[in-house]
Amino acid sequence: MAINLQKGQKVSLKKNTNAGLGEIHVNLNWNAKPNKKGFLSNLFSGQGIDLDLGCLFELKDGRLGAVQALGNAFGSLTQPPYIALDGDDRTGNAVAGENLRINGNQIANIKRVLVYTFIYEGVANWQQADAIVTIKCPGQEDLIVKMDTYNSTNRMCGLALLENVNDETFSVEKIVQFYPGHPELDRAFNWGIRWTPGRK
C-alpha cells in the first residue's frame, strides 16, 4: 500500500514504541529520455536529463546546510547531519534513481528537512522529466510525491518538508513548488544559508 500525497497534505511518520523510526529512504526517479519531437528537439541534442536530488537541513543545535551532489556535499548517516545522498545519477538511466537516506533514529537531533530536486542540465520542461519521489519508512505505508504541477520554467522544485514533532514523529508535507534556484527556495522557507556558486 502507498499514500499518494496531495499538495499541502501532511502525513506522520511515527516512531515505534520500542524502537526508533529507522532509516527513512527518499527515492527520486525520472524519465531519462525526453520527447524530442517538434521545435524543442534542438534544445536537447541527445543529452540525457540530469535531475539532482538533495535537501536542506536544520539541526536542533542550529546547524544549517544542504546535502546534494553539487559541491560534493553527500552528508553522513552516522554523524551530523544524519542524512546521506547515495550518489549522483547523471542520466536517469540508473534503475534505482537517486536516493537520500535520513537516520530516523537521530530524530531528536533533526529539526526539519526540505527535500528538493533541480535540473542540473538537460530537459527544459518538468513534464518531460516525469519525476516521482517515493518516501519509505520501516513498518509504514510508502508516501508518493508526484510532480504533477508543470507550469514552470524555474529549475528548482521543493518537493516535501519533514518537520520534527515532539522528537517522535516526522510530519511530511507535499510541497511541489518551483523556484529559480537555491537562494529563492531557502528564502521561501526562512532557512538562512549563505549560498555561493557550486559545481560537480
Side-chain angles (χ1 to χ4, degrees), residues 40-173:
L40 289 175
S41 60
N42 292 330
L43 295 178
F44 303 113
S45 302
Q47 184 181 37
I49 300 167
D50 185 10
L51 291 186
D52 276 5
L53 178 67
C55 73
L56 303 182
F57 65 82
E58 181 178 359
L59 302 183
K60 285 289 196 69
D61 64 8
R63 277 182 280 186
L64 304 169
V67 174
Q68 59 179 20
L70 195 62
N72 294 314
F74 287 94
S76 171
L77 270 184
T78 57
Q79 56 189 0
Y82 309 110
I83 304 166
L85 182 67
D86 283 357
D88 180 23
D89 179 9
R90 299 297 295 271
T91 64
N93 290 326
V95 175
E98 291 201 1
N99 298 279
L100 192 68
R101 295 181 293 155
I102 302 169
N103 187 344
N105 294 333
Q106 294 288 340
I107 186 173
N109 294 309
I110 303 170
K111 183 176 181 180
R112 57 179 180 155
V113 178
L114 177 60
V115 179
Y116 57 77
T117 184
F118 62 96
I119 302 171
Y120 185 72
E121 58 188 12
V123 69
N125 187 306
W126 286 100
Q127 187 168 8
Q128 293 176 338
D130 194 26
I132 186 169
V133 172
T134 305
I135 301 173
K136 297 176 178 286
C137 186
Q140 304 188 49
E141 290 182 294
D142 292 355
L143 303 180
I144 306 297
V145 178
K146 291 183 178 180
M147 293 189 64
D148 45 13
T149 304
Y150 306 119
N151 57 342
S152 178
T153 57
N154 289 328
R155 301 182 72 83
M156 168 75 70
C157 181
L159 294 168
L161 179 64
L162 286 73
E163 295 182 289
N164 184 332
V165 180
N166 298 324
D167 292 344
E168 295 185 351
T169 300
F170 272 126
S171 170
V172 183
E173 179 182 359

Side-chain angles (χ1 to χ4, degrees), residues 4-10 144-146 148-149 151 157-159 173-179:
N4 185 11
L5 288 182
Q6 303 302 307
K7 192 167 182 175
Q9 180 183 1
K10 293 184 179 182
I144 306 297
V145 178
K146 291 183 178 180
D148 45 13
T149 304
N151 57 342
C157 181
L159 294 168
E173 179 182 359
K174 177 177 178 178
I175 304 296
V176 186
Q177 183 65 46
F178 298 89
Y179 303 92

